[in-house]
Amino acid sequence: FGYSLAFSGDGDWLGDTSAFFLQSLTRDGARAGTHLPESVFVMFQMTFAVITPALIVGAYVERIRFAAVLLISGLWMLIVYAPTAHWIWGGGWLAKMGVMDYAGGIVVHVTAGVSALVIAWMLKPRQEFPHHVRPPHAPWMVMVGAALLWVGWFGFNAGSALTAGGDAGMAMLATHLSAASATLAWMAIEWIKFGKPSLVGAVTGTIAGLATITPAAGVAGPLGAVLLGAAAACVCYFAVWLVKKVMAVDDALDVLGVHGVGGALGTLALPFIVVIGVAGGKLNHAPLEQFGVQA
């Protein structure tokens, strides 16, 4: 159902039912506007729909019944994700305004971040929060998971070009540079503040850089990606502190602070990143007008 609601029809708010159960899918048919078999396009978009509720799980892990996780994930994908994907990638009202979201800054990261905040707030914090929250029991596993994400992100961002060529190559390069820059910047912040960086902090910076470059990967050049990654570390570090210490919401894996704020930062910075360096892409409007659309 979700694919049809997101990627069929020309409605402003929601797709239609013409692709329910993929009834219109043929073996050799290409997705309109691309050279891809529609079966490949369906699978690619399904990976986005799968990963987004998986991000939200990080906010409430081990504080919720498993049956509720299944129910929330399925309903959330249909009620929140599919309409938002249609607004931007399926020709909906935001697409008609000219909003630019290359690989899911809004569709994936902002929606996941805000939803994670709501669920974590409703579930209430862990008993020891916020003064005695234990770090992950095996930081090396955190590192391995982040490394898998770093590589997997190339598939999301470069793959969003929907073709093998210069656009995909530049998106992949920008993704890597932003992640590396944010990792180093987050380490520097911890080094200055605590006297030494941490492995968990470093990989949190990695994810912040990846989330922030996601909407802008299609227009950013190498220098713009490095600067955006550094900005992501600074802004997301502050956002994590704000959520935990000021708002007192136990967002266990900082889904709002890293994914939500990172996705929003990349979305808003996109019109200005395009003019940095020589490898920038094209905007739908003049930079200031594009910023208004993005906001």
Side-chain angles (χ1 to χ4, degrees):
F1 300 133
Y3 176 75
S4 188
L5 296 176
F7 293 102
S8 64
D10 55 3
D12 285 345
W13 297 97
L14 197 62
D16 58 30
T17 63
S18 61
F20 271 19
F21 296 104
L22 301 179
Q23 57 187 324
S24 59
L25 188 69
T26 61
R27 182 173 296 273
D28 300 318
R31 170 68 185 179
T34 76
H35 299 291
L36 293 176
E38 189 164 15
S39 57
V40 175
F41 184 78
V42 169
M43 286 297 298
F44 182 60
Q45 292 302 334
M46 187 182 71
T47 63
F48 281 93
V50 166
I51 197 64
T52 312
L55 299 179
I56 302 172
V57 170
Y60 57 72
V61 61
E62 293 191 339
R63 284 149 58 203
I64 190 172
R65 293 180 184 275
F66 182 59
V69 174
L70 297 180
L71 186 64
I72 288 172
S73 298
L75 291 176
W76 187 91
M77 197 276 290
L78 289 173
I79 296 171
V80 179
Y81 181 85
T84 309
H86 180 75
W87 298 348
I88 297 174
W89 294 337
W93 66 280
L94 285 174
K96 291 171 183 175
M97 285 175 59
V99 73
M100 298 178 70
D101 184 1
Y102 194 71
I106 300 171
V107 178
V108 174
H109 296 288
V110 171
T111 58
V114 174
S115 300
L117 176 74
V118 172
I119 296 172
W121 175 77
M122 293 184 69
L123 284 175
K124 304 295 185 275
R126 289 166 285 181
Q127 288 183 349
E128 63 270 26
F129 180 85
H131 303 295
H132 302 288
V133 176
R134 290 167 294 178
H137 77 282
W140 70 269
M141 294 180 69
V142 178
M143 182 273 291
V144 171
L148 291 170
L149 274 175
W150 194 330
V151 175
W153 225 284
F154 295 150
F156 281 108
N157 285 9
S160 292
L162 300 182
T163 182
D167 288 343
M170 188 60 72
M172 182 162 62
L173 177 61
T175 300
H176 185 63
L177 291 176
S178 178
S181 176
T183 303
L184 293 173
W186 196 291
M187 288 172 61
I189 294 170
E190 288 194 333
W191 220 322
I192 294 168
K193 188 172 181 180
F194 303 113
K196 64 177 181 179
S198 68
L199 181 61
V200 173
V203 300
T204 304
T206 302
I207 305 306
L210 290 168
T212 303
I213 195 62
T214 292
V219 300
L223 178 58
V226 169
L227 295 176
L228 188 58
C234 298
V235 173
C236 292
Y237 189 95
F238 175 74
V240 168
W241 171 84
L242 194 68
V243 170
K244 279 187 160 62
K245 302 299 184 181
V246 179
M247 299 172 66
V249 176
D250 189 7
D251 180 353
L253 289 188
D254 305 314
V255 184
L256 175 65
V258 173
H259 291 279
V261 171
L265 174 63
T267 300
L268 295 173
L270 183 152
F272 310 109
I273 291 298
V274 72
V275 301
I276 300 176
V278 296
K282 295 180 180 179
L283 299 175
N284 292 332
H285 305 284
L288 288 179
E289 185 180 355
Q290 186 69 53
F291 176 78
V293 171
Q294 299 297 100

